[in-house]
Structures are given as structure tokens and as C-alpha cells.
Amino acid sequence: MPLLTGVCGLSQRQAFATSVAVILPLCVLSVGIYLMRGGLDLMAALPYLAGGTVGGWLGGKWFRGMKMPWLKRIFGLLLIYGGVRCFLP
């Protein structure tokens, strides 16, 4: 993201969308490889896939109209929450 915004001159939103567009094909390729090698239990993954799909769609709709300072604050709070969770049992 810093390279996409700093070097390529993309906005924060464009950089995020571009990074997701790059990550998605790599994830699809990884799933295909794990499926061929038998290392993926697709039935166990289905609830997470469904939840991630619905959550991603809803989050995209919800965050589209949100101002960037609020997104940064929410992300910062999420990072703080994750850091605190790492240190607490």
C-alpha cells in the first residue's frame, strides 16, 4: 500500500482495491493447489467462506461512503484491540 500510494500516486482507496485485486488471484491459485494435493477440507471451510463473502460484501457497501479519517480510526482501534488480545490470556 505505501508503494502504491507513494510511488504510483494512487489514492488510499485505489491502492486498497489494487492490492485486493492482486491478492485474490493468488488465493484462488493456492486453493487450487491445496485441493489437488488433498490438503484442504472444503466442507470445513464453507462456513468461513460464506461468512467472509457476506461480510466482505456488506463491509464494502458500508465503508464506501465513509470518510477516510474514520476508516483510519476504526483500523487503528482494530490494531489496538488485536495487540491487547495478544498480551492477554
Side-chain angles (χ1 to χ4, degrees), residues 57-73:
W57 182 77
L58 288 174
K61 292 285 186 185
W62 188 48
F63 286 128
R64 181 179 300 171
M66 194 173 276
K67 303 287 185 202
M68 191 57 65
W70 281 105
L71 286 175
K72 289 180 180 181
R73 288 179 186 125

Side-chain angles (χ1 to χ4, degrees), residues 27-83:
C27 291
V28 170
L29 178 65
S30 294
V31 165
I33 291 170
Y34 279 109
L35 277 173
M36 288 189 315
R37 293 186 178 175
L40 177 64
D41 183 358
L42 195 55
M43 293 310 290
L46 279 178
Y48 301 101
L49 290 171
T53 301
V54 171
W57 182 77
L58 288 174
K61 292 285 186 185
W62 188 48
F63 286 128
R64 181 179 300 171
M66 194 173 276
K67 303 287 185 202
M68 191 57 65
W70 281 105
L71 286 175
K72 289 180 180 181
R73 288 179 186 125
I74 292 169
F75 184 66
L77 289 173
L78 183 64
L79 287 176
I80 290 169
Y81 172 77

Side-chain angles (χ1 to χ4, degrees), residues 1-12 14-16 18-19 22:
M1 295 269 302
L3 289 175
L4 289 172
T5 55
V7 176
C8 297
L10 298 178
S11 71
Q12 290 282 334
Q14 290 173 325
F16 179 76
T18 303
S19 67
V22 170

